[in-house]
């Protein structure tokens, strides 16, 4: 079956074998449909244009071609802000003025400190109850603020259960409640990974989202955002992560060999493609 798929790396370093596997997986999963490339560079502190250029070059060297223009998220903040404002108009997001330190202090003082499915500590809800006048006054005074989803209200706005089709598995039911009042718009930029990824998948007509299984928990939240915004439900294929000989997942921070260093050592694209496969379980 033909799908529109995408590879959506963040330009925070050079691509390694894990990325090559993910990109090849997405291109193959398109099944003759459209394979898109999107650069997820909303984080100004960690993303570098030089890494974006290197990603394009490395993927082309591997022999991958993508349909249409490469979408760079940092050029589209106005679109993400518009989504935040649409959710605000429906009372589904609220401004949060808390600093990381305040949140950490409140969590430390709490008797129980639950965590979201992605491991992040749950926001204790400090700013949820601020009245409209206080919110306006603090925003008007220029106080930095993030935008948080009001999870209880968001769940109340749904008109049915959430689920998605996982390829090869079938229907998976979603339960996003455990994410709590997650940040949808950061303090520094009016977007978050969750908001930008769901917005762009809808805008770009992605019909099959392929990505590592580490992002599987986030899919429950993404289905909630899609339902709230009336965006279509893509199918999903969460793939295993490439691991090193010791069974650890490959990560840039561990100095995993980049595609360009393998290339500099004289490996051919065909050899790198062969290496970019999960090792079968012993
Ligand atoms: N940008 C994300 C990453 O670099 C991937 C996003 C996705 O595929 O949903 O891990």
């Amino acid at each position: 079956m033909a799908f529109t798929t995408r590879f959506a790396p963040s330009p925070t370093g050079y691509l390694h074998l894990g990325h090559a596997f993910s990109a090849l997986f997405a291109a193959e999963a398109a099944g003759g449909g459209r394979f898109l490339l999107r650069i997820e560079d909303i984080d100004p502190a960690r993303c570098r244009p030089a890494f974006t250029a290197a990603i394009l070059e490395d993927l082309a060297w591997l022999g991958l071609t993508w349909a249409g223009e490469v979408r760079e998220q940092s050029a589209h903040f106005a679109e993400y802000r518009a989504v935040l404002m649409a959710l605000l108009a429906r009372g589904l997001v609220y401004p949060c003025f808390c600093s990381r330190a305040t949140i950490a202090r409140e969590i430390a003082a709490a008797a129980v400190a639950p965590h979201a499915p992605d491991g992040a500590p749950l926001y204790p809800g400090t700013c949820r109850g601020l009245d409209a006048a206080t919110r306006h006054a603090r925003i008007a005074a220029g106080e930095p603020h993030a935008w948080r989803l009001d999870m209880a209200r968001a769940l109340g706005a749904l008109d049915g259960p959430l689920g998605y089709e996982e390829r090869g598995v079938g229907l998976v039911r979603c339960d996003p409640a455990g994410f709590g009042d997650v940040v949808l718009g950061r303090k520094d930029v009016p977007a978050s990974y969750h908001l930008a990824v769901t917005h762009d998948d809808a805008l770009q007509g992605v019909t099959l989202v392929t990505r590592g299984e580490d992002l599987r928990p986030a899919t429950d939240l993404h289905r909630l955002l899609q339902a709230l915004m009336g965006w279509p439900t893509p199918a999903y294929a969460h793939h295993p992560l490439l691991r090193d000989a010791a069974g650890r997942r490959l990560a840039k921070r561990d100095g995993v060999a980049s595609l360009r260093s393998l290339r500099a050592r004289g490996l051919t694209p065909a050899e790198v493609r062969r290496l970019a496969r999960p090792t079968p379980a012993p």
Side-chain angles (χ1 to χ4, degrees):
M1 203 172 143
F3 290 99
T4 297
T5 64
R6 77 322 189 258
F7 176 52
S10 293
T12 57
Y14 294 120
L15 297 184
H16 56 61
L17 285 175
H19 298 110
F21 169 58
S22 205
L24 292 163
F25 186 96
E28 206 167 293
R34 282 159 55 83
F35 166 63
L36 311 176
L37 175 61
R38 185 166 75 224
I39 300 295
E40 302 212 322
D41 58 349
I42 62 164
D43 187 339
R46 296 178 60 231
C47 297
R48 300 271 177 277
F51 289 132
T52 299
I55 288 171
L56 270 55
E57 192 187 293
D58 290 348
L59 293 177
W61 175 77
L62 258 188
L64 282 169
T65 49
W66 46 89
E69 299 263 298
V70 177
R71 181 173 169 92
E72 294 186 44
Q73 292 187 326
S74 59
H76 298 279
F77 284 124
E79 292 164 53
Y80 309 131
R81 185 191 295 278
V83 178
L84 287 170
M85 293 305 107
L87 292 169
L88 177 65
R90 293 160 62 194
L92 298 177
V93 295
Y94 61 85
C96 169
F97 305 92
C98 293
S99 66
R100 275 176 207 271
T102 326
I103 297 175
R105 261 199 312 277
E106 292 208 14
I107 289 174
V112 281
H115 284 71
D118 60 3
L122 278 195
Y123 178 61
T126 323
C127 288
R128 191 191 307 125
L130 294 179
D131 59 54
T134 309
R135 287 176 180 171
H136 288 141
R138 291 176 74 168
I139 291 175
E143 206 177 318
H145 55 281
W147 293 99
R148 286 187 182 272
L149 182 69
D150 187 321
M151 181 56 82
R153 284 182 174 222
L155 294 173
L158 293 178
D159 50 18
L162 294 173
Y164 61 90
E165 196 67 25
E166 174 82 23
R167 265 220 320 185
V169 173
L171 182 71
V172 177
R173 286 265 169 243
C174 299
D175 182 13
F179 279 90
D181 290 1
V182 71
V183 169
L184 293 187
R186 298 162 34 141
K187 273 188 184 165
D188 55 346
V189 293
S192 66
Y193 160 61
H194 302 301
L195 183 85
V197 80
T198 46
H199 172 273
D200 286 3
D201 285 339
L203 179 82
Q204 298 187 284
V206 171
T207 54
L208 174 63
V209 171
T210 67
R211 58 184 176 207
E213 64 190 5
D214 55 326
L215 287 170
R216 187 192 300 272
T219 303
D220 287 23
L221 179 60
H222 296 179
R223 281 293 302 115
L224 172 61
L225 297 178
Q226 288 158 355
L228 292 175
M229 294 304 296
W231 291 330
T233 313
Y236 287 83
H238 296 96
H239 61 69
L241 299 172
L242 227 52
R243 295 184 183 275
D244 65 14
R248 286 182 305 247
R249 67 175 279 206
L250 304 183
K252 287 172 215 172
R253 63 178 174 278
D254 300 330
V256 165
S258 64
L259 298 185
R260 46 192 48 213
S261 72
L262 297 172
R263 175 180 171 187
R265 273 191 240 155
L267 271 76
T268 65
E271 284 165 335
V272 170
R273 277 170 173 257
R274 267 197 299 279
L275 288 175
R277 283 191 193 144
T279 358

